């Protein structure tokens, strides 16, 4: 299928597109219906309430969505009520902006959903301060905001009731596609001309995407009572598919070896190109499964990789006959990994095609609640963050000061009829991290310029109201579709949508485009300077915490694998929890490093050393997953005294690295009380001892390099 056609199909069945249609209907209907009834102003006010509720309508369990939308609606009504009275005097309005911008920003301590609830409150505050509302109309105005928010909440909940599994299917399909993209990047490592360093950077970025998508699926499935209780075949299928997807992702991470060494030894044989081609074919099959889940149909198990795997085996056997056996063990291991991946892909297709699925995992019942975090709404969390040690507190103070400053500046130096646009830009641009604020600055300015040109062209080239309304509807839907995925593109769509809307309200043309561009540039400049000068929150100062988290996760992962190697019983729950912590901590570290690289060069202390640690962590977790895969596939695994020594030294190196980063924090080392002379009981010996020993020695070397790198920070 043509790539563009495939991407279009993905888009049409995506969660973002369905969300865009729902939000467009929810926001447009009040204004449209009330306008037809001759009450356009009341309808617009209701639409504002619907917008505030829609901001908190993020993917997640239906109870979380409901609570978030109700909280956003209540806060929007309160903000409308307070602003309606406060706007009667510039001083009281300035004080309200100072207090509310601080309190609403502090809601971030309760998680992402709570933070957008606060953002909705700030939005209605800014949009209300410019409205001409008399005292007697303040209460009806707040009531209309409340009605609009409740209307949208009912619409969203009704949609979820009609299609209870669509959000889960779309999120799972999205997650499968990100795993396919990760697998495709793995293929590039086997191509002799790929730049390894550049590909690592791309892979690390993709790892963040995979982790975020998997967390979203966990939230949707593991916190959904209807799904976890296995009440329906669809719910069981979604859960089983996701469980196997995570196992597949682990198998994919094991396709790591010393790529530079592999190229030196085997590039001339042409075998590595064959491996890369096969990995791409596997990735294509995973992507096809992702689309099937997303589009809600059963995938056909079209791909049969037996012939390719057999051809690869013949090539490996041919090279083995010409080389010492130990030197080609790594090729055999690659072949085994690829077979395992192909089998897991086939298994997932079979699960999706079964008429009955049971959620048993090797005889154990998964405790889903342990795989998701719970957001505590205790007021003590809010109070405990009222400290300069809290980055959220510093950001909230920055938001309060900058918002108040922007308000008074626009009052002292008014320009045009929509001065509040400057403050609105600041509210949406200003973010806790410098990198995200800078990124949004670029996106806002570029999007406003491009969108302004598009809007003017439509205003001048499309004369009729019907054509303009259709264009506005299309841009509106496009804006709400991409608003959470591509900020620059969302601004490009939002700008002509707003210009057309103002045109219908009798306030369009070149003048309003010019005013919007000037206000946008002014707001972006204020937000950018504020992030740099007012209580800056540099990632360099926080990167140590993310490094500590990933080292602790890998140390725990190493301990679990050591127990399995020793032949001791380790529950699948214990293993999967340790594995999940490694994936999450690794993604958090990668995301923090990416934010750090977006900061000014003179603020990026030791960025090369941090990057080295990010890569070393990826190597470590990949090799640990490799050994874990061996344990699962073999009935018996050798564990001899030299293996124990390597594991002990690896654990000691990680413990020392943790002490380098956090000297005052206790480190739980599984080998702390072991002596050199101790030996762990060996199980039966297999023919892969040499490869296992080589992998353990490489893990020991990576851990030693991690210790050196942390000491150098």
């Amino acid at each position: 299928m043509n790539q563009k056609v495939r991407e279009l199909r993905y888009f049409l069945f995506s969660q973002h597109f369905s969300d865009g249609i729902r939000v467009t209907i929810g926001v447009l209907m009040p204004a449209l219906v009330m306008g037809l009834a001759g009450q356009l102003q009341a309808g617009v006010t209701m639409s504002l309430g619907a917008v505030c509720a829609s901001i908190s309508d993020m993917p997640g369990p239906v109870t979380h969505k409901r609570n978030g939308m109700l909280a956003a609606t209540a806060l929007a009504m309160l903000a409308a009520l307070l602003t309606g009275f406060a706007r009667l005097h510039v001083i009281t309005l300035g004080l309200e902006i100072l207090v509310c911008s601080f309190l609403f920003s502090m809601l971030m301590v309760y998680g992402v959903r709570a933070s957008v609830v606060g953002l909705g409150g700030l939005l209605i505050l800014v949009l209300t301060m410019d409205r001409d509302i008399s005292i007697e109309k303040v209460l009806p105005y707040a009531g209309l905001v409340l009605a609009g928010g409740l209307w949208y909440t009912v619409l969203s909940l009704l949609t979820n009731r009609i299609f209870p599994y669509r959000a889960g299917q779309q999120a799972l399909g999205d997650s499968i596609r990100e795993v396919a993209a990760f697998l495709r990047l793995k293929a590039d490592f086997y191509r002799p001309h790929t730049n390894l360093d550049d590909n690592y950077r791309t892979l690390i970025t993709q790892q963040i995407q995979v982790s975020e998508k998997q967390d979203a699926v966990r939230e949707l499935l593991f916190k959904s009572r209807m799904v976890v209780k296995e009440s329906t075949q669809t719910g069981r299928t979604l859960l089983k598919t996701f469980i196997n997807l995570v196992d597949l992702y682990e198998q994919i991470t094991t396709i790591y070896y010393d790529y530079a060494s592999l190229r030196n030894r085997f590039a001339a044989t042409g075998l590595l190109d064959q491996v890369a081609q096969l990995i791409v074919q596997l990735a294509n099959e995973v992507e096809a499964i992702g689309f099937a889940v997303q589009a809600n149909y059963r995938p056909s198990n079209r791909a049969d990789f037996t012939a390719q795997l057999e051809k690869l085996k013949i090539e490996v056997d041919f090279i083995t006959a010409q080389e010492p056996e130990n030197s080609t063990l790594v090729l055999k291991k690659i072949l085994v990994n690829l077979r395992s991946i192909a089998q897991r892909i086939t298994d997932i297709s079979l699960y999706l095609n079964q008429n009955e699925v049971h959620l048993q995992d090797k005889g154990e019942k998964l405790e889903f609640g342990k795989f998701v975090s719970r957001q505590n709404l205790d007021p003590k969390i809010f109070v405990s963050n009222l400290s300069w040690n809290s980055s959220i507190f510093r950001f909230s103070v920055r938001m309060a000061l900058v918002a108040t400053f922007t308000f008074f500046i626009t009052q002292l130096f008014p320009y045009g009829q929509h001065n509040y646009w400057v403050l609105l830009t600041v509210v949406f641009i200003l973010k806790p991290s410098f990198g995200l604020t800078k990124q949004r600055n670029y996106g806002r300015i570029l999007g406003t310029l491009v969108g302004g040109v598009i809007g003017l062209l439509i205003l001048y080239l499309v004369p009729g109201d019907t054509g303009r309304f259709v264009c506005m509807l299309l841009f509106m839907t496009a804006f709400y579709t991409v608003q959470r995925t591509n900020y620059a593109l969302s601004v490009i769509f939002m700008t002509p949508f707003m210009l057309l809307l103002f045109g219908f309200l009798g306030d369009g043309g070149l003048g309003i485009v010019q005013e919007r561009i000037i206000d946008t540039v002014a707001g972006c400049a204020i937000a950018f300077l504020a992030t740099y000068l007012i209580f800056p929150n540099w990632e360099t100062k926080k990167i140590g915490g993310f490094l500590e988290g990933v080292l602790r996760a890998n140390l725990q992962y190493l301990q679990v694998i050591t127990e399995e190697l020793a032949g001791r019983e380790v529950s699948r729950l214990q293993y999967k929890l340790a594995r999940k912590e490694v994936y999450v901590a690794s993604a958090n570290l990668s995301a923090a490093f990416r934010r750090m690289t977006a900061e000014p060069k003179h603020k990026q202390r030791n960025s090369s050393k941090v990057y080295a640690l990010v890569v070393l962590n990826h190597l470590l977790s990949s090799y640990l997953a490799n050994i874990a895969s061996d344990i699962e596939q073999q009935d018996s695994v050798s564990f001899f005294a030299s293996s124990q020594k390597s594991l002990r030294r690896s654990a000691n190196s990680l413990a020392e690295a943790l002490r380098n980063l956090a000297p005052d924090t206790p480190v739980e080392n599984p080998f702390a009380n072991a002596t050199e002379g101790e030996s762990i009981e060996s199980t039966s010996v297999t023919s892969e001892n040499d490869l296992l020993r080589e992998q353990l020695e490489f893990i020991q070397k990576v851990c030693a390099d991690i210790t050196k790198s942390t000491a150098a920070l």
Side-chain angles (χ1 to χ4, degrees):
M1 184 189 300
N2 183 278
Q3 181 64 27
K4 292 183 179 180
V5 175
R6 184 187 298 117
E7 289 299 325
L8 178 62
R9 292 182 65 190
Y10 288 145
F11 170 76
L12 293 176
F13 284 101
S14 70
Q15 181 179 4
H16 304 300
F17 183 59
S18 59
D19 287 350
I21 293 175
R22 183 181 66 251
V23 176
T24 299
I25 294 173
V27 172
L28 184 64
M29 286 301 292
L32 196 60
V33 172
M34 296 295 286
L36 293 174
Q39 298 291 327
L40 179 61
Q41 198 63 40
V44 170
T45 303
M46 289 183 65
S47 291
L48 291 181
V51 169
C52 292
S54 72
I55 293 176
S56 63
D57 187 17
M58 301 168 60
V62 64
T63 53
H64 293 194
K65 289 162 66 77
R66 179 199 63 204
N67 295 341
M69 288 185 288
L70 290 176
T73 300
L75 192 65
M77 182 196 68
L78 178 62
L81 196 63
L82 291 175
T83 309
F85 290 113
R87 62 173 297 278
L88 298 177
H89 195 282
V90 68
I91 299 298
T92 55
L93 184 55
L95 287 174
E96 187 210 4
I97 292 172
L98 179 70
V99 174
C100 287
S101 56
F102 171 77
L103 293 177
F104 293 174
S105 299
M106 279 294 295
L107 292 178
M108 192 179 295
V109 301
Y110 295 116
V112 176
R113 195 178 298 274
S115 71
V116 296
V117 168
L119 187 62
L122 287 176
L123 173 64
I124 202 71
L125 186 158
V126 175
L127 294 179
T128 301
M129 56 184 262
D130 194 58
R131 302 288 290 269
D132 185 15
I133 309 173
S134 58
I135 294 180
E136 61 272 11
K137 292 184 179 180
V138 171
L139 283 175
Y141 175 83
L144 289 171
V145 171
L146 174 65
L150 291 176
W151 143 252
Y152 181 85
T153 301
V154 171
L155 174 66
S156 179
L157 295 177
L158 183 62
T159 303
N160 188 83
R161 189 67 177 266
I162 297 173
F163 307 104
Y165 296 107
R166 281 303 293 148
Q169 290 167 334
Q170 290 166 332
L172 180 57
D174 223 10
S175 181
I176 294 173
R177 290 186 60 214
E178 295 297 343
V179 170
F182 187 87
L183 178 57
R184 195 170 284 112
L185 286 172
K186 283 284 188 175
D188 292 336
F189 284 110
Y190 292 90
R191 295 191 169 98
H193 302 295
T194 300
N195 184 290
L196 292 179
D197 192 55
D198 290 345
N199 208 49
Y200 270 125
R201 290 181 180 272
T202 308
L203 188 75
I204 287 167
T205 301
Q206 184 59 30
Q207 183 184 36
I208 300 170
Q209 294 296 319
V210 172
S211 179
E212 289 177 350
K213 298 298 183 182
Q214 288 187 353
D215 278 345
V217 178
R218 287 190 190 97
E219 286 286 312
L220 272 167
L221 299 186
F222 292 0
K223 288 186 177 181
S224 175
R225 187 174 304 173
M226 178 168 51
V227 173
V228 172
K229 282 189 173 183
E230 307 176 39
S231 57
T232 65
Q233 168 65 16
T234 304
R236 289 193 295 270
T237 301
L238 291 176
L239 276 174
K240 189 65 176 179
T241 303
F242 178 66
I243 292 168
N244 282 273
L245 174 67
V246 177
D247 289 340
L248 171 63
Y249 177 57
E250 178 189 42
Q251 193 70 50
I252 291 170
T253 62
T254 67
I255 314 179
Y256 171 77
Y257 298 93
D258 188 342
Y259 297 117
S261 175
L262 273 176
R263 291 176 177 184
N264 290 333
R265 293 161 61 186
F266 304 111
T269 66
L271 179 69
L272 298 184
D273 282 324
Q274 293 183 41
V275 170
Q277 292 172 13
L278 179 55
I279 293 175
V280 169
Q281 291 176 354
L282 291 167
N284 291 338
E285 184 64 17
V286 174
E287 189 175 46
I289 292 174
F291 176 71
V293 173
Q294 193 178 59
N296 190 26
Y297 70 80
R298 294 187 175 188
S300 57
N301 190 20
R302 300 165 299 171
D304 184 0
F305 301 102
T306 305
Q308 294 98 314
L309 289 168
E310 187 60 31
K311 180 181 177 182
L312 197 61
K313 180 181 181 302
I314 293 172
E315 292 289 335
V316 171
D317 290 342
F318 178 76
I319 296 173
T320 301
Q322 298 178 332
E323 300 281 344
E325 183 177 359
N326 290 347
S327 66
T328 58
L329 280 174
V330 65
L331 297 181
K332 295 180 179 178
K333 180 61 179 172
I334 291 173
L335 180 60
V336 170
N337 284 343
L338 293 176
R339 280 176 174 162
S340 298
I341 291 172
Q343 185 58 51
R344 289 188 183 278
I345 293 172
T346 301
D347 290 344
I348 291 176
S349 294
L350 291 175
Y351 290 132
L352 292 171
N353 282 287
Q354 284 180 9
N355 293 321
E356 186 65 29
V357 174
H358 300 283
L359 288 173
Q360 295 294 329
D361 189 69
K362 292 192 175 182
E364 298 182 51
K365 199 74 170 180
L366 287 178
E367 300 178 46
F368 299 110
K370 294 185 177 182
F371 288 86
V372 290
S373 58
R374 303 290 177 181
Q375 182 60 61
N376 189 351
L377 299 179
D378 192 335
K380 293 180 180 178
I381 297 176
F382 188 97
V383 175
S384 66
N385 275 273
L386 297 176
S387 164
W388 287 111
N389 295 325
S390 169
S391 59
I392 295 177
F393 176 78
R394 294 197 302 273
F395 165 69
S396 301
V397 172
R398 185 196 311 150
M399 175 67 83
L401 294 177
V402 175
T404 308
F405 168 79
T406 303
F407 168 70
F408 282 112
I409 284 293
T410 55
Q411 294 298 307
L412 292 172
F413 305 101
Y415 172 79
Q417 301 178 354
H418 307 90
N419 288 328
Y420 65 91
W421 279 350
V422 182
L423 180 55
L424 192 63
T425 300
V426 169
V427 166
F428 276 87
I429 288 293
L430 198 60
K431 296 298 174 185
S433 72
F434 178 89
L436 185 55
T437 302
K438 183 175 76 171
Q439 178 187 350
R440 290 213 158 198
N441 260 282
Y442 293 152
R444 188 82 173 193
I445 293 173
L446 176 65
T448 301
L449 291 173
V450 175
V453 171
I454 295 173
L456 282 176
L457 289 174
I458 293 174
L459 286 172
Y460 286 110
L461 297 179
V462 182
D465 286 346
T466 302
R468 291 182 179 182
F469 180 78
V470 171
C471 290
M472 187 188 76
L473 194 62
L474 292 175
F475 281 116
M476 188 178 183
T477 304
F479 163 63
Y480 286 121
T481 297
V482 302
Q483 63 175 337
R484 292 192 177 98
T485 58
N486 191 319
Y487 185 73
L489 191 60
S490 72
V491 177
I492 290 176
F493 290 137
M494 177 186 67
T495 303
F497 152 52
M498 295 301 299
L499 294 178
L500 290 169
L501 177 62
F502 277 107
F504 280 113
L505 296 176
D507 191 17
L510 181 60
I512 198 170
V513 173
Q514 180 180 350
E515 182 182 350
R516 183 164 182 82
I517 291 174
I518 292 174
D519 289 345
T520 296
V521 172
C524 288
I526 293 171
F528 184 82
L529 290 174
T531 307
Y532 190 88
L533 299 174
I534 302 177
F535 313 125
N537 188 25
W538 305 117
E539 284 298 327
T540 301
K541 297 181 179 180
K542 301 190 298 181
I543 201 74
F546 293 105
L547 286 168
E548 182 183 349
V550 80
L551 290 179
R552 288 187 183 278
N554 268 319
L555 185 57
Q556 178 64 29
Y557 197 30
L558 177 63
Q559 182 178 3
V560 170
I561 290 173
T562 299
E563 295 293 324
E564 288 192 302
L565 271 174
R568 298 179 185 137
E569 184 176 353
V570 176
S571 69
R572 296 300 296 166
L573 175 64
Q574 181 184 355
Y575 170 75
K576 289 192 173 187
L577 284 172
R579 180 184 65 182
K580 179 233 176 187
E581 289 303 316
V582 168
Y583 291 163
V584 172
S586 298
N588 289 340
L589 173 61
S590 300
F593 174 74
R594 187 171 63 174
R595 293 193 299 267
M596 184 175 127
T597 56
E599 295 174 348
K601 292 291 184 183
H602 66 280
K603 296 294 183 181
Q604 298 178 31
R605 291 183 297 174
N606 300 316
S607 61
S608 60
K609 294 184 177 66
V610 173
Y611 174 66
L613 280 167
V614 173
V615 173
L616 287 170
N617 163 74
H618 177 73
L619 303 186
L620 177 59
S621 58
S622 295
Y623 260 88
L624 290 176
N626 211 328
I627 294 176
S629 176
D630 286 344
I631 297 171
E632 184 174 359
Q633 292 173 17
Q634 299 178 32
D635 294 331
S636 59
V637 181
S638 61
F639 193 48
F640 32 83
S642 60
S643 300
Q644 183 203 2
K645 186 183 297 184
S646 294
L647 289 167
R648 182 192 302 114
R649 291 177 177 174
S650 299
N652 289 339
S653 293
L654 290 180
E656 184 179 349
L658 280 167
R659 285 190 289 270
N660 289 337
L661 293 173
D664 300 327
T665 305
V667 179
E668 186 176 338
N669 183 355
F671 291 97
N673 300 320
T675 64
E676 282 291 328
E678 272 184 80
S679 64
I680 301 176
E681 181 181 354
S682 300
T683 58
S684 59
V685 179
T686 70
S687 61
E688 299 212 350
N689 281 353
D690 289 334
L691 183 57
L692 176 61
R693 184 186 292 108
E694 181 182 324
Q695 291 171 333
L696 292 173
E697 288 174 354
F698 190 84
I699 288 173
Q700 181 183 331
K701 181 181 181 300
V702 170
C703 291
D705 289 341
I706 288 174
T707 303
K708 293 176 184 176
S709 297
T710 54
L713 282 176

